[in-house]
């Protein structure tokens, strides 16, 4: 009966499947990368299906840009790793421009809440020696583990390319040997793999300081609370720093995908809820309960000003970004240097507006100033801003329910809530990223195809390597066509409706 679909939920809902000749109708709830990629993949798999997309705000979801002084600043999802096959290939197919470079400055220091425990000097030789001295070869060993995770993740593209779909996230992660990582904490995993044996020198400091800082940056969470898969996903861009963002803004991808998906209708500003355009009732099996999930609050603040060394109790500050250790008790998770902005031309404009409690957040103009990007769990108070910066001006402050608050061992909702109903974001408890949502989107598109058009053999070209079916036999988790069921047409032609409560 309930019909509230929470933030960060992209759900595909079969509305009606009428007489055999009538096209299948699909409603997609959510216009982030997950929902729009699902629409696009469905269009490729089943061009005759009628797909409508419902989005309560604007297209983009947790990707949103701010154009400032000729630059594109990301407020939400910012980096796309070179191995993010779906997102990068879709971006290229949509004519967008990936530009290389990450979200941080050229150098960094790590702060533990009372002092700086590590600082880069800018000299590659000196910095390499300093890393070896403090962390031993733990960064290298963890890099290998992250790369192995990346290789396994990449097998999903072949499985999807061969038409494999999974009814649950557990089956999907198990098919590529990553499920166990979601069942243990990043802290335990790193401890087990790095902190024993003859090579353990520096491991404890590495886990707390370097790996911990990366987790605070990417997920605003500490090692102990993260699952090991999310920890490795978080570390991969540090291990293999070939990363991109889209010149047009990362939210341009969902916008382009929605346009390319040949939607029957796009309902913007339309929240799906009780009594709205699609009625969500009686879809879940009786007694079914979806696992509760909390989201981590992260506030993205772009602020200009000069950092105040005395806040950090040092006479002068090291150049570059300030990261924080896993357990640092700080009111920010990272302060990243973003160059300078010139006030005369700095009139920020956004493809949409940033909102806080339903109200647009403040946007100011500035003179030529150092620009910083700060992540924090709470909005930066006026008091904190005055302590951290000289002459600070907040350009924009955007609060997000950013990613799941990880909780290993992770408990996953199924993708397939009932035949014809697929829950994209079930996968996100493992790790949250645009690519993960795109993978889930492909999985939902394939699942729906198998459930509603089991005889179909069409495959998706875009974004899928689709080169091999050899790995399909290793896919123990595939729902396959054997589990395909047609949606029961018992609701009556033209008036059938399905419903779900997702929380
Ligand atoms: C600050 C921050 C930094 C991040 N950094 C990165 C990064 O560097 N790289 C990366 O890959 N990922 C990053 N992420 C994570 C990434 O943004 C998400 O994993 C991804 O965008 C999720 O996409 P989605 O489509 O699944 O969900 P969302 O983008 O949340 O889309 C869901 C959509 O559904 C809509 N919706 C919800 N309920 C309803 C309803 N009832 N009716 C209608 N519409 C509804 C919402 O308005 C939203 O548009 C970051 C996220 C944040 C917040």
């Amino acid at each position: 009966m309930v019909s509230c679909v929470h933030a960060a939920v992209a759900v595909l809902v079969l509305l009606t499947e009428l007489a055999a000749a009538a096209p299948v109708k699909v409603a997609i709830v959510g216009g982030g990368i997950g929902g729009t990629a699902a629409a696009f993949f469905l269009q490729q798999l089943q061009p005759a299906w009628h797909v409508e997309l419902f989005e309560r705000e604007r297209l983009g979801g947790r990707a949103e840009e701010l154009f400032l002084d000729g630059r594109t600043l990301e407020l939400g999802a910012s980096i796309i790793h070179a191995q993010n096959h779906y997102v990068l290939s879709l971006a290229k197919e949509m004519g967008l421009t990936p530009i290389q470079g990450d979200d941080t400055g050229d150098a960094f220091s790590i702060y533990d809440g009372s002092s700086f425990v590590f600082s880069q000097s800018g000299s590659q030789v000196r910095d390499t020696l300093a890393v070896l001295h403090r962390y031993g070869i733990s960064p290298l060993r963890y890099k290998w583990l992250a790369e192995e995770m990346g290789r396994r993740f990449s097998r999903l593209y072949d499985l999807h390319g061969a038409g494999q779909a999974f009814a649950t996230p557990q089956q999907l992660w198990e098919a590529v040997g990553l499920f166990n990582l979601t069942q243990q904490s990043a802290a335990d995993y790193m401890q087990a793999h790095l902190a024993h044996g003859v090579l353990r020198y520096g491991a404890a400091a590495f886990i707390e300081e370097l790996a911990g800082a990366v987790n605070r940056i990417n997920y605003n969470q500490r090692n102990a609370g993260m699952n090991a898969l999310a920890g490795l996903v978080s570390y991969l861009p540090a291990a293999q720093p070939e990363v991109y963002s889209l010149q047009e803004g990362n939210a341009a991808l969902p916008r382009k995908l929605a346009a390319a998906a040949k939607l029957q209708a796009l309902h913007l500003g339309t929240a799906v809820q009780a009594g709205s355009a699609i009625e969500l009732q009686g879809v879940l099996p009786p007694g079914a309960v979806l696992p509760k999930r909390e989201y981590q609050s992260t506030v993205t603040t772009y602020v200009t000003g000069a950092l105040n060394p005395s806040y950090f109790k040092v006479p002068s500050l090291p150049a570059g970004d300030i990261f924080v250790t896993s357990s640092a008790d700080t009111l920010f998770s990272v302060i990243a240097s973003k160059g300078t902005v010139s006030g005369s031309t700095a009139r920020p404009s956004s493809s949409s507006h940033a909102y806080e409690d339903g109200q647009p957040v403040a946007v100011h103009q500035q003179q030529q100033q150092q620009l910083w990007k700060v992540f924090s769990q709470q909005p930066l108070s006026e008091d904190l801003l005055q302590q951290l910066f000289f002459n600070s001006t907040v350009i924009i402050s955007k609060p997000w329910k950013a990613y799941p608050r990880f909780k290993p061992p992770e408990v996953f909702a199924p993708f397939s809530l009932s035949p014809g109903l697929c829950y994209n974001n079930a996968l996100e408890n493992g790790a949250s990223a645009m690519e993960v949502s795109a993978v889930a989107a492909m999985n939902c598109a394939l699942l729906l195809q198998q459930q509603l058009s089991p005889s179909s053999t069409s495959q998706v070209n875009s974004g899928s390597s689709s080169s091999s079916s050899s790995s399909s036999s290793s896919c123990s988790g595939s729902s396959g066509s054997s589990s395909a069921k047609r949606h029961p047409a018992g609701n009556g032609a033209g008036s059938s409706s399905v419903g779900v409560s997702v929380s």
Side-chain angles (χ1 to χ4, degrees), residues 24-147:
V24 169
K25 289 185 179 177
V26 177
I28 296 182
V29 182
I33 182 69
T36 55
F40 184 73
F41 291 146
L42 275 177
Q43 203 281 326
Q44 292 202 310
L45 287 166
Q46 294 290 336
W49 285 10
H50 286 186
V51 179
E52 300 190 21
L53 194 147
F54 296 77
E55 166 53 54
R56 68 177 172 194
E57 291 179 14
R58 58 179 172 81
L59 293 174
R62 279 172 275 166
E64 185 175 2
E65 69 281 269
L66 173 77
F67 299 112
L68 177 70
D69 208 11
R71 292 165 58 188
T72 309
L73 303 177
E74 295 294 347
L75 301 175
S78 53
I79 59 168
I80 303 164
H81 190 260
Q83 286 186 25
N84 290 174
H85 178 66
Y86 283 149
V87 169
L88 273 181
S89 57
L90 286 171
K92 287 176 192 155
E93 193 174 344
M94 295 297 117
L96 297 169
T97 326
I99 45 173
Q100 202 171 346
D102 69 15
D103 205 29
T104 52
D106 293 335
F108 65 83
S109 301
I110 304 177
Y111 184 65
D112 73 358
S114 56
S115 63
F116 286 97
V117 292
F118 181 83
S119 286
Q120 284 188 320
S121 68
S123 146
Q124 208 177 346
V125 176
R126 280 223 303 272
D127 289 343
T128 305
L129 290 174
V131 165
L132 272 173
H133 177 67
R134 188 158 185 91
Y135 305 125
I137 63 163
S138 294
L140 195 59
R141 296 172 74 203
Y142 199 49
K143 170 184 153 87
W144 292 332
L145 294 168
E147 287 173 343

Side-chain angles (χ1 to χ4, degrees), residues 58-400:
R58 58 179 172 81
L59 293 174
R62 279 172 275 166
E64 185 175 2
E65 69 281 269
L66 173 77
F67 299 112
L68 177 70
D69 208 11
R71 292 165 58 188
T72 309
L73 303 177
E74 295 294 347
L75 301 175
S78 53
I79 59 168
I80 303 164
H81 190 260
Q83 286 186 25
N84 290 174
H85 178 66
Y86 283 149
V87 169
L88 273 181
S89 57
L90 286 171
K92 287 176 192 155
E93 193 174 344
M94 295 297 117
L96 297 169
T97 326
I99 45 173
Q100 202 171 346
D102 69 15
D103 205 29
T104 52
D106 293 335
F108 65 83
S109 301
I110 304 177
Y111 184 65
D112 73 358
S114 56
S115 63
F116 286 97
V117 292
F118 181 83
S119 286
Q120 284 188 320
S121 68
S123 146
Q124 208 177 346
V125 176
R126 280 223 303 272
D127 289 343
T128 305
L129 290 174
V131 165
L132 272 173
H133 177 67
R134 188 158 185 91
Y135 305 125
I137 63 163
S138 294
L140 195 59
R141 296 172 74 203
Y142 199 49
K143 170 184 153 87
W144 292 332
L145 294 168
E147 287 173 343
E148 174 57 18
M149 179 282 301
R151 273 190 291 277
R152 291 183 185 202
F153 189 93
S154 296
R155 289 185 208 151
L156 286 167
Y157 305 123
D158 286 333
L159 295 175
H160 278 166
Q164 301 278 355
F166 304 92
T168 67
Q170 175 165 349
Q171 290 171 352
L172 181 148
W173 293 128
E174 276 175 349
V176 293
L178 293 176
F179 179 71
N180 283 346
L181 292 173
T182 69
Q183 301 301 295
Q184 53 189 309
S185 77
D188 289 347
Y189 177 81
M190 289 190 282
Q191 187 70 20
H193 284 80
L194 304 176
H196 299 288
V198 286
L199 301 176
R200 70 179 180 278
Y201 172 80
F206 168 78
I207 293 167
E208 166 64 14
E209 297 171 11
L210 209 45
V214 170
N215 286 336
R216 293 286 294 266
I217 294 168
N218 288 321
Y219 288 124
N220 214 347
Q221 291 166 65
R222 300 175 200 277
N223 292 339
M226 301 259 306
N227 73 61
L229 177 61
L232 289 168
V233 167
S234 161
Y235 197 75
L236 189 60
Q240 285 183 340
E242 188 186 343
V243 293
Y244 299 87
S245 58
L246 302 181
Q247 191 169 29
E248 298 83 356
N250 292 339
L253 181 55
R255 291 195 291 269
K256 288 272 189 183
L257 286 170
K262 301 196 176 91
L263 295 169
Q264 194 76 5
L266 172 61
H267 307 271
L268 288 182
T270 307
V272 173
Q273 55 193 359
S276 70
I278 51 177
E279 190 63 31
L280 303 174
Q281 287 185 26
V283 164
L284 284 182
V289 179
L290 294 181
K292 207 169 156 51
R293 169 163 55 197
E294 288 178 23
Y295 276 81
Q296 175 63 49
S297 293
T298 290
V299 182
T300 305
T301 305
Y302 280 96
V303 54
T304 59
L307 268 178
N308 180 0
S310 54
Y311 178 86
F312 300 92
K313 303 177 202 75
V314 289
S316 66
L317 281 167
D321 305 331
I322 298 178
F323 300 168
V324 300
T325 57
S326 177
S327 52
D329 193 12
T330 51
L331 296 171
F332 58 88
S333 311
V334 58
I335 303 177
S337 167
K338 302 296 289 180
T340 59
V341 281
S342 116
S344 53
T345 54
R347 177 176 285 281
S349 65
S350 175
S351 59
S352 63
H353 297 289
Y355 288 90
E356 191 171 355
D357 297 332
Q359 299 300 316
V361 294
V363 174
H364 300 292
Q365 282 184 263
Q366 273 301 294
Q367 295 304 313
Q368 183 80 31
Q369 287 271 18
Q370 174 71 44
L371 179 67
W372 304 94
K373 181 179 185 180
V374 184
F375 283 153
S376 53
Q377 295 195 355
Q378 305 292 329
L380 303 179
S381 67
E382 207 40 58
D383 193 37
L384 178 62
L385 283 164
Q386 280 184 14
Q387 293 175 44
L388 271 175
F389 296 98
F390 298 117
N391 300 323
S392 68
T393 302
V394 172
I395 303 285
I396 194 165
S397 168
K398 169 81 186 186
W400 297 98

